[in-house]
Amino acid sequence: MELFNFFRSGTSHRLRIALNLKGLAYDYRAIDLPRDEHLSAEYKRLNPQGLVPALVHDGKVLIQTPAILEWLEERHPTPSLLPEQPEERARVRALASIVGCDIHPLNNRRVLELLRKKMKCDESTVNEWCETWIAAGFDALEALLQTDSKRGEFCFGGTPTLADVYLIPQVESARRFKVDIGRWPAIQAVDAACSRIEAFRAAAPSQQPDAR
Ligand SMILES: N[C@@H](CCC(=O)N[C@@H](CS)C(=O)NCC(=O)O)C(=O)O
């Protein structure tokens, strides 16, 4: 498998975590976002959306992390990143979607570039924008985690699920925008639990070959 990705990209980070948790090896292909390599004609032949990551497997290109993560779960079911019961699976997917649908897209690079370049926002306004959407999502996630009486160390139960796979890169991104994670103690505790697992540690942006 070849993973076309960027060390600091949250969606790339979430896919690296899932691949590591499932023990799947891949060749790392760096796509440099600040140099707009994702917008090159060559990369757009892989992903016409011009977004990372893309996973190439047996000559087939997979794009969109929600789709790739579901494909991974179907192709490599063990260890599973979803619980058994449909209602529990819906819960995990909902936690993941708070990050995947309602935080990350609003703080994506192309959105921030539009704010900076077209809307002429200064850096403090851009940071306020990012913090607004991170806080809105994390407030809801925190409430959901706090009220789950059966929760173990992770977002759901006692082993990592897709909810953690989505959450940890968003925590990393929040730190980059200088958002104080201490405001959300349950999220902070999940982050600490994940940081004890090698699959999460090895997926961190700082550990990637293109990190700088
Ligand atoms: N929904 C897509 C989003 C992918 C995405 O937004 N990737 C970001 C990096 S985290 C990207 O390539 N951004 C390039 C840009 O905004 O210019 C997925 O989950 O794969």
Side-chain angles (χ1 to χ4, degrees), residues 12-30:
S12 303
H13 186 180
R14 74 173 74 129
L15 193 48
R16 292 194 301 264
I17 296 171
L19 287 164
N20 292 350
L21 284 170
K22 287 185 178 287
L24 298 170
Y26 56 86
D27 292 325
Y28 194 102
R29 305 276 182 255

Side-chain angles (χ1 to χ4, degrees), residues 6 8-12 14 33 36 38-39 47 49-53 63-66 68 100 104-105 108-111 113 166:
F6 181 58
R8 215 167 36 216
S9 137
T11 49
S12 303
R14 74 173 74 129
L33 298 190
D36 283 343
H38 57 304
L39 302 177
N47 183 356
Q49 257 196 310
L51 297 171
V52 292
I63 60 166
Q64 283 289 344
T65 53
I68 304 173
H104 173 273
N108 204 352
R109 182 172 177 272
R110 59 185 177 172
V111 173
E113 288 297 275
Y166 275 73

Side-chain angles (χ1 to χ4, degrees), residues 38-191:
H38 57 304
L39 302 177
S40 67
E42 192 187 350
Y43 183 71
K44 280 193 167 179
R45 273 196 288 278
L46 278 185
N47 183 356
Q49 257 196 310
L51 297 171
V52 292
L55 187 70
V56 178
H57 169 72
D58 271 353
K60 292 197 178 59
V61 184
L62 302 173
I63 60 166
Q64 283 289 344
T65 53
I68 304 173
L69 291 166
E70 294 287 342
W71 171 83
L72 272 180
E73 199 54 22
E74 289 164 7
R75 271 268 169 246
H76 303 277
T78 314
S80 180
L81 299 177
L82 285 168
E84 286 271 309
Q85 297 304 318
E87 293 71 24
E88 296 183 337
R89 295 162 86 88
R91 167 90 177 190
V92 166
R93 288 183 170 119
L95 296 174
S97 298
I98 290 177
V99 172
C101 303
D102 299 332
I103 304 179
H104 173 273
L106 286 161
N107 291 353
N108 204 352
R109 182 172 177 272
R110 59 185 177 172
V111 173
L112 306 189
E113 288 297 275
L114 190 86
L115 290 177
R116 288 185 185 109
K117 291 181 180 157
K118 283 243 169 90
M119 313 295 178
K120 306 291 176 210
C121 297
D122 59 23
E123 263 331 278
S124 78
T125 310
V126 171
N127 275 351
E128 194 181 331
W129 169 275
C130 292
E131 178 161 7
T132 299
W133 304 120
I134 291 168
F138 278 10
D139 284 350
L141 266 170
E142 179 73 19
L144 288 162
L145 299 184
Q146 295 272 5
T147 52
D148 178 358
S149 56
K150 288 193 296 190
R151 197 171 65 81
E153 278 196 296
F154 299 95
C155 282
F156 185 90
T159 55
T161 64
L162 284 182
D164 306 289
V165 164
Y166 275 73
L167 176 61
I168 297 310
Q170 194 59 61
V171 169
E172 172 87 23
S173 159
R175 289 206 174 97
R176 207 166 62 245
F177 290 116
K178 310 260 181 294
V179 178
D180 176 16
I181 301 299
R183 287 160 64 184
W184 302 284
I187 290 177
Q188 199 174 27
V190 169
D191 181 51

Side-chain angles (χ1 to χ4, degrees), residues 190-202:
V190 169
D191 181 51
C194 291
S195 73
R196 290 191 283 275
I197 296 177
E198 177 55 23
F200 282 87
R201 281 204 300 270

